[in-house]
Amino acid sequence: MAAILGFGGYVPERIVTNDDWATRLDTSDEWITQRAGIKRRRFAAEDQATLDLALEASRKALADAGLEPADLDEIVLATDTPEYLTPDTAALVQHSLGCRNIPTYDLGGSGCAGFIQALDVAASRVATGVRHILVIGVEVITRLISLEDRTTAVLFGDGAGAVVLGHGPGRAEVLGAVSGTDGSAAGILTLAAGGTRNPFNERTLANGDFNRLVMDGKKVFTEAVKRMSEASMQVLEKVGRSLSEVKLVIPHQANRRIIDAVAHRLGIAEDRVYVNVHEYGNIGSATVPFALWEAVGAGRVGAGDLVVLTAFGAGFHWGAAALQF
Ligand code: UT7
């Protein structure tokens, strides 16, 4: 069975508070706190891009696993904000880490559910005999979405998380995962420009589409609560475990109200749900692996604990994974 051998996480140093945003946009600490539960988030430094954040988290995960880059056999990287449109950021990670010529691929565009999808795919690769796979979730969202649009800008931050997956026994076995997609809801969360339908050009620049994140907040909210609660229960059923055995649920951190609603729907107390959205905002596909790394480091989970990860994102995608520490 696939197991997590090491955990890593990284956020850039620069902190942007709600008050900082209020000096720039027509918003307030009160609105952002009430509606989203976010107090501050991190912004990548000007000389940092996606690769830099991915490398920081990856090096920590490798060190935690007691492995060298040469021990890796495959890299999968989930992101919606790659270093370049092509090639994949994972190839750049491979070279920068000094790995062998191992295969790499990005799992792009799955929004905040990307890491769980990547973990699910990587676990199946381990089952086919691949020894060590680096699985990364990373975003520099603040560089690719409009910082002028208050309805989306204040919600996001930058960061990275990574795990090394291999054959158990490791730190945590991946008992199983579930994923789902409803492509009919693709329009509720999407970037207005950048692909072949509406490429970046003078027109998209002129009409404000260039870096506009289209988001139907209320629909995303409702879908997120429903899909994360259902996926959590489905993965437990799949691996033959019950909610009462779960030490900690680590949900995607987009909005404190979404997290609370999932806890309410699952019927579990606050202390069994991990929350760091107040500190980092929504860091896309980095959210779950970063929170996992933080929770392990803080001693919130350890040997013997059953943990459920769950996320949702543009697609509309969702997923959950069950980990036995
Ligand atoms: O990883 C996936 C990423 N996305 C999500 O997870 C989004 C899920 N949805 C949400 O988190 C919430 O829907 C939001 C936080 C985005 C919005 O909360 P809401 O309670 O649904 O507010 P709303 O969209 O109904 O907006 C209420 C008002 C509007 O003004 P009017 O039309 O009532 O006059 C907005 O223009 O709040 C206004 N508003 C703001 N005001 C101050 C929107 N953004 C801001 C802002 N500051 N930053």
Side-chain angles (χ1 to χ4, degrees):
M1 191 176 274
I4 295 177
L5 310 179
F7 303 87
Y10 172 77
V11 283
E13 277 174 25
R14 183 177 163 207
I15 297 172
V16 174
T17 65
N18 291 347
D19 288 335
D20 293 333
W21 267 125
T23 63
R24 203 182 151 139
L25 294 176
D26 180 15
T27 189
S28 64
D29 175 44
E30 192 191 4
W31 191 94
I32 302 170
T33 306
Q34 258 180 20
R35 301 290 173 129
I38 299 166
K39 297 302 280 184
R40 55 194 79 81
R41 71 288 288 147
R42 304 296 180 97
F43 270 44
E46 267 176 37
D47 63 350
Q48 284 181 315
T50 309
L51 171 63
D52 305 295
L53 275 59
L55 286 174
E56 296 276 358
S58 300
R59 290 193 176 110
K60 286 186 196 164
L62 279 166
D64 193 37
L67 293 171
E68 298 295 329
D71 297 320
L72 289 175
D73 300 297
E74 201 160 304
I75 300 175
V76 52
L77 182 148
T79 192
D80 277 30
T81 54
E83 185 93 354
Y84 303 108
L85 280 178
T86 191
D88 55 316
T89 308
L92 309 175
V93 170
Q94 180 230 55
H95 173 68
S96 301
L97 284 177
C99 301
R100 291 172 287 116
N101 288 346
I102 55 171
T104 70
Y105 44 102
D106 277 10
L107 205 154
S110 300
C112 314
F115 176 80
I116 289 183
Q117 284 191 325
L119 188 72
D120 193 4
V121 171
S124 68
R125 297 286 295 150
V126 169
T128 68
V130 181
R131 273 183 327 148
H132 298 131
I133 308 184
L134 179 61
V135 188
I136 306 164
V138 57
E139 305 287 356
V140 183
I141 306 181
T142 63
R143 196 147 311 146
L144 292 192
I145 64 163
S146 167
L147 300 184
E148 310 302 322
D149 181 353
R150 68 173 186 173
T151 65
T152 52
V154 301
L155 304 174
F156 295 95
D158 302 330
V163 298
V164 179
L165 213 63
H167 295 277
R171 306 272 295 285
E173 275 186 8
V174 182
L175 298 179
V178 295
S179 307
T181 301
D182 175 7
S184 74
I188 66 173
L189 192 54
T190 178
L191 275 166
T196 55
R197 178 67 56 190
N198 195 18
F200 293 130
N201 55 26
E202 290 87 355
R203 187 173 49 83
T204 50
L205 197 57
N207 69 14
D209 272 354
F210 192 75
N211 52 7
R212 186 165 62 86
L213 182 68
V214 177
M215 184 174 81
D216 183 336
K218 288 196 194 310
K219 283 212 178 97
V220 173
F221 192 113
T222 311
E223 278 293 306
V225 174
K226 174 176 149 56
R227 298 301 188 180
M228 286 203 291
S229 327
E230 286 175 0
S232 300
M233 294 311 294
Q234 281 162 5
V235 80
L236 286 168
E237 194 183 334
K238 183 175 175 180
V239 304
R241 305 291 288 270
S242 74
L243 192 58
S244 61
E245 296 174 78
V246 174
K247 174 79 186 292
L248 194 65
V249 175
I250 302 182
H252 176 54
Q253 312 276 315
N255 183 320
R256 177 70 201 237
R257 290 188 294 143
I258 293 177
I259 298 168
D260 290 347
V262 169
H264 181 73
R265 219 161 142 153
L266 291 175
I268 57 174
E270 237 178 52
D271 64 343
R272 290 172 67 204
V273 182
Y274 196 74
V275 180
N276 67 8
V277 69
H278 49 290
E279 283 296 327
Y280 308 108
N282 181 349
I283 46 175
S285 59
T287 302
V288 167
F290 179 81
L292 179 61
W293 170 75
E294 203 181 50
V296 171
R300 287 284 302 272
V301 287
D305 292 338
L306 179 64
V307 171
V308 169
L309 313 177
T310 184
F312 67 92
F316 202 82
H317 297 290
W318 59 89
L323 307 179
Q324 178 63 60
F325 278 74

